[in-house]
Amino acid sequence: MSNPSLTNDTPFVRNYAREVLQFSHGRDVWLYDTAGNRYLDLGAGIAVNALGYGDRRLARAVSRQMKRLVHVSNLYTTPPALELGRRLLDIASPVGREPFTAVHFGNSGSEANEAAIKYARLKAFTEKGPGHHRILAFENAFHGRTMGSLSATPKEAYRKKFEPLLPGFDFIPINDVPALERAITDDVAAIMVEPVQGEGGLEVLNRDTAEALNRIGAERKILVIADEIQTGLGRLGTLFGSTLSGLKPDILTLSKPLAGGLPLSATLVPASVNDQVEVGDHGTTFGGGPATSAAALYILDRILEPGFLNRVQERAQELQEVLERLRGRYDWITELRGTGMLRGLRIDLGDAQERLFPEIIPVARNQGLLILRSGADVIRIAPPLVIDRRDLQRGLGMLDNVFQTINARRNA
Ligand code: PMP
């Protein structure tokens, strides 16, 4: 590849990497930088671009709506928002402990979780009185960066410069039922859980823990909030990730792939929560606007097409087989994490870990492959769900080359 269009001259706050690639357009699973190099994207815009890039029908659905109406505020509503809300309730209800009967639309994953936290506290306050506000989340969870969702995100590096965060949040180890049971007290309003920990190392919620959450939720009247922002809408080969472990959440949050790359999130609640909410308890300016809703209706049409999820499962199986082979080839790949189309390779390069682990993603980029990280030592693969067999195999072949480069540097 010649001169990738890397720039470190951006007008952005220094939150993000100093040196970033500048892309001009995309097609299917490929992104093109402004210098004309192409990259196979096994990260899908961090698990957002389920349909890859350049989907003309998505563009048409949004532009048609943009010509009619872009924004009306939540003082009013529009046909796309009504239809999207009803369809989401319909498809998600079989997953919930109770049917979901109402949705709050927001603009990001963090906001979806903020709303979930607020509704959980609101319900506990109304039904049990003040002081029943505690929220439990899991170690290595990621629920967002706003002050509320960050309060449910345990990673010290994300938190420590912003303290004090919200009081009343505690963290428990994942897949440790006795620890979960010990953490339950009368003041717990809700437990937040990701079916797969997308940012924190791709640990998968197991069946025993899901069962314990279902039981504790029912017996102790504690809401279980499933954060399906990364796992929802097909990423794990199922419409919702909760299905895999049998988790029956009371509240479910969605975002990343929901509007095909436009900002939209959804917090789904059952009647027992919605009955407690009064006008003015929560709100947002843009959430559920007609243009993002039109995009989401198109995305749902595609994901719900007969055969779509079967194809995702087939690709996921191929992905698994190749990753297993890679694990056999490199002894420093110590573990396969995740499931479906959200997979991770745990890397332990021993003495060379600190030097070489951070090189994996840039080496891949220089070879025209985009991959992600999750947690401290996991490489994450989250391809567009529409990737075909040929591109998937090609991408994994490129990944093998990347690992050969790392191996050579390790042995040098
Ligand atoms: N929850 C999960 C599981 C996520 O993966 C993310 C984003 N990586 C968020 C919440 C936060 O979403 P956003 O960045 O849109 O606020």
Side-chain angles (χ1 to χ4, degrees):
M1 138 157 11
S2 64
N3 294 326
S5 67
L6 282 166
T7 178
N8 53 18
D9 176 23
T10 74
F12 314 136
V13 174
R14 290 152 46 141
N15 297 318
Y16 306 116
R18 291 295 144 70
E19 205 180 42
V20 287
L21 273 176
Q22 203 181 150
F23 289 118
S24 71
H25 63 287
R27 189 109 214 105
D28 301 324
V29 296
W30 297 88
L31 272 172
Y32 295 79
D33 73 15
T34 50
N37 299 300
R38 71 171 192 167
Y39 302 80
L40 204 166
D41 185 10
L42 294 186
I46 320 193
V48 167
N49 301 319
L51 304 183
Y53 299 96
D55 190 300
R56 294 205 176 185
R57 285 187 289 161
L58 172 64
R60 262 203 300 278
V62 176
S63 92
R64 212 180 296 126
Q65 179 56 46
M66 298 271 287
K67 287 177 194 155
R68 299 174 76 91
L69 258 185
V70 179
H71 176 81
V72 293
S73 90
N74 286 307
L75 298 170
Y76 317 105
T77 189
T78 61
L82 288 168
E83 188 184 343
L84 178 63
R86 289 178 183 135
R87 284 183 72 183
L88 286 175
L89 297 173
D90 199 40
I91 61 171
S93 278
V95 176
R97 182 202 310 281
E98 301 169 55
F100 299 108
T101 62
V103 56
H104 168 76
F105 287 124
N107 310 284
S108 68
S110 297
E111 274 179 81
N113 288 333
E114 291 286 334
I117 292 165
K118 286 184 73 178
Y119 294 142
R121 284 198 165 173
L122 179 160
K123 182 173 194 291
F125 178 90
T126 313
E127 291 179 355
K128 302 183 195 167
H132 296 86
H133 58 263
R134 225 171 126 225
I135 310 267
L136 301 179
F138 289 98
E139 289 171 8
N140 298 318
F142 185 91
H143 296 298
R145 303 279 204 156
T146 53
M147 293 303 265
S149 61
L150 182 59
S151 301
T153 300
K155 188 167 168 173
E156 204 41 38
Y158 295 159
R159 298 166 61 93
K160 68 170 177 270
K161 295 178 192 166
F162 307 103
E163 285 172 345
L165 298 177
L166 296 191
F169 284 76
D170 289 297
F171 303 103
I172 42 184
I174 188 143
N175 295 333
D176 181 342
V177 174
L180 170 62
E181 280 169 344
R182 279 197 302 277
I184 303 299
T185 46
D186 284 340
D187 57 358
V188 176
I191 309 173
M192 298 179 75
V193 60
E194 298 160 89
V196 174
Q197 295 188 314
E199 302 296 320
L202 299 170
E203 202 74 62
V204 181
L205 178 75
N206 69 23
R207 284 198 159 265
D208 287 351
T209 310
E211 247 168 54
L213 285 167
N214 294 344
R215 174 174 44 78
I216 289 165
E219 284 174 9
R220 307 293 296 263
K221 295 205 178 327
I222 292 169
L223 296 179
V224 174
I225 300 168
D227 176 346
E228 293 240 24
I229 283 152
Q230 192 151 164
T231 58
L233 304 176
R235 173 68 37 204
L236 306 186
T238 49
L239 203 45
F240 299 99
S242 295
T243 318
L244 291 178
S245 62
L247 184 72
K248 300 296 273 179
D250 300 280
I251 298 181
L252 189 142
T253 59
L254 296 170
S255 184
K256 285 179 178 288
L258 179 57
L262 295 179
L264 180 65
S265 64
T267 305
L268 308 184
V269 301
S272 59
V273 170
N274 195 33
D275 286 350
Q276 309 296 344
V277 180
E278 292 178 5
V279 172
D281 277 340
H282 191 50
T284 177
T285 293
F286 294 114
T292 50
S293 295
L297 285 170
Y298 170 71
I299 296 293
L300 287 189
D301 280 346
R302 289 293 308 279
I303 291 176
L304 295 168
E305 258 169 22
F308 185 96
L309 289 174
N310 286 342
R311 282 193 296 278
V312 174
Q313 285 165 16
E314 276 171 32
R315 286 297 91 71
Q317 182 60 35
E318 292 159 19
L319 175 58
Q320 152 107 3
E321 285 161 15
V322 177
L323 293 181
E324 269 167 11
R325 280 207 295 281
L326 289 177
R327 185 167 75 158
R329 199 165 301 157
Y330 302 96
D331 61 1
W332 39 267
I333 300 176
T334 57
E335 214 182 310
L336 227 58
R337 294 263 185 90
T339 185
M341 291 285 251
L342 183 58
R343 299 306 307 247
L345 298 164
R346 182 149 183 248
I347 307 291
D348 180 1
L349 288 151
D351 294 345
Q353 179 81 351
E354 223 174 293
R355 178 171 61 94
L356 288 180
F357 182 74
E359 290 187 13
I360 297 175
I361 289 173
V363 164
R365 182 193 66 205
N366 291 340
Q367 297 183 11
L369 179 71
L370 304 179
I371 50 177
L372 304 166
R373 172 181 180 154
S374 177
D377 55 6
V378 174
I379 292 295
R380 175 174 29 159
I381 311 286
L385 301 184
V386 294
I387 194 168
D388 64 21
R389 174 175 296 139
R390 204 190 49 177
D391 283 336
L392 182 65
Q393 295 297 341
R394 184 168 180 165
L396 294 169
M398 292 164 86
L399 186 63
D400 193 4
N401 288 338
V402 171
F403 289 161
Q404 278 177 38
T405 305
I406 295 298
N407 220 22
R409 289 187 187 179
R410 183 192 185 212
N411 298 329

